[in-house]
């Protein structure tokens, strides 16, 4: 009988707030390696749920499930967390108190009001690894720049090629 396969990240708990493919893929990689990943979605669901192309017969009435979301969220749990409400922020911090990693692509301007800025997270959850997935990083002169696909493509040099 073959030995049971070991899962490298078994026992690792990850909470992800992902509205971009980059943050969603980071969570997907950890889930693939065995981490227990929970998506903390806003009341209307992650923006990834609305990204085409759509799979037939897999989603809401009249619309299939997003193929991108289906791929990125495979093997993950999902929780609705409304960061505009006190109880929603408390629910997220409850999840984070038991988590090892927090993957977040919330815009810097929105983080403080939601209680998920770096300072608040460090004070409330010192054990937490906060992975900030932003197009131009979380600090520096371009940190607040929006990151549309074409902007990222040209900022990275691919547009020049």
């Amino acid at each position: 009988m073959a030995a049971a396969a070991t899962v490298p990240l078994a026992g690792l708990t990850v909470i992800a707030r992902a509205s971009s493919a980059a943050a969603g893929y980071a969570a997907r990689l950890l889930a693939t390696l065995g981490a227990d990943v929970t998506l903390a979605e806003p009341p209307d669901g992650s923006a990834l749920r609305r990204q085409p192309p759509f799979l037939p017969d897999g989603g809401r009435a009249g619309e299939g499930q997003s193929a991108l979301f289906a791929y990125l969220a495979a093997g993950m749990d999902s929780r609705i967390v409304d960061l505009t409400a006190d109880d929603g922020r408390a629910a997220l911090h409850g999840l984070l108190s038991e988590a090892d990693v927090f993957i977040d692509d919330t815009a810097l301007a929105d983080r403080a009001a939601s209680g998920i800025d770096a300072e608040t997270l460090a004070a409330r959850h010192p054990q937490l690894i906060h992975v900030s997935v932003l197009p131009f990083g979380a600090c520096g002169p371009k940190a607040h720049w929006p990151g549309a696909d074409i902007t990222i493509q040209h900022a990275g040099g691919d547009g020049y090629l």
Side-chain angles (χ1 to χ4, degrees):
M1 183 169 151
T6 59
V7 182
L9 298 182
L12 187 75
T13 302
V14 178
I15 305 300
R17 289 213 23 107
S19 61
S20 69
Y25 190 64
R28 161 73 182 201
L29 287 174
L30 296 180
T32 301
L33 292 170
D36 178 21
V37 181
T38 300
L39 295 174
E41 298 187 67
D44 60 344
S46 170
L48 292 169
R49 288 183 181 272
R50 295 178 289 283
Q51 294 296 316
F54 295 100
L55 301 170
D57 303 319
R60 297 173 286 220
E63 168 180 306
Q65 180 182 20
S66 166
L68 177 63
F69 182 79
Y71 172 75
L72 294 176
M76 297 182 202
D77 291 327
S78 177
R79 289 275 197 72
I80 299 299
V81 178
D82 184 1
L83 293 183
T84 63
D86 290 338
D87 59 338
R89 289 188 293 275
L92 179 63
H93 284 290
L95 291 171
L96 294 177
S97 68
E98 299 176 9
D100 301 301
V101 178
F102 179 43
I103 299 172
D104 180 31
D105 65 0
T106 304
L108 285 177
D110 300 332
R111 288 184 179 183
S114 300
I116 55 173
D117 56 292
E119 295 77 19
T120 301
L121 290 175
R124 291 187 70 172
H125 311 286
Q127 85 294 350
L128 189 66
I129 298 169
H130 181 201
V131 180
S132 177
V133 183
L134 295 170
F136 294 101
C139 60
K142 298 178 184 176
H144 291 281
W145 281 18
D149 290 342
I150 193 165
T151 308
I152 301 301
Q153 182 179 12
H154 285 275
D158 286 345
Y160 178 75
L161 295 175

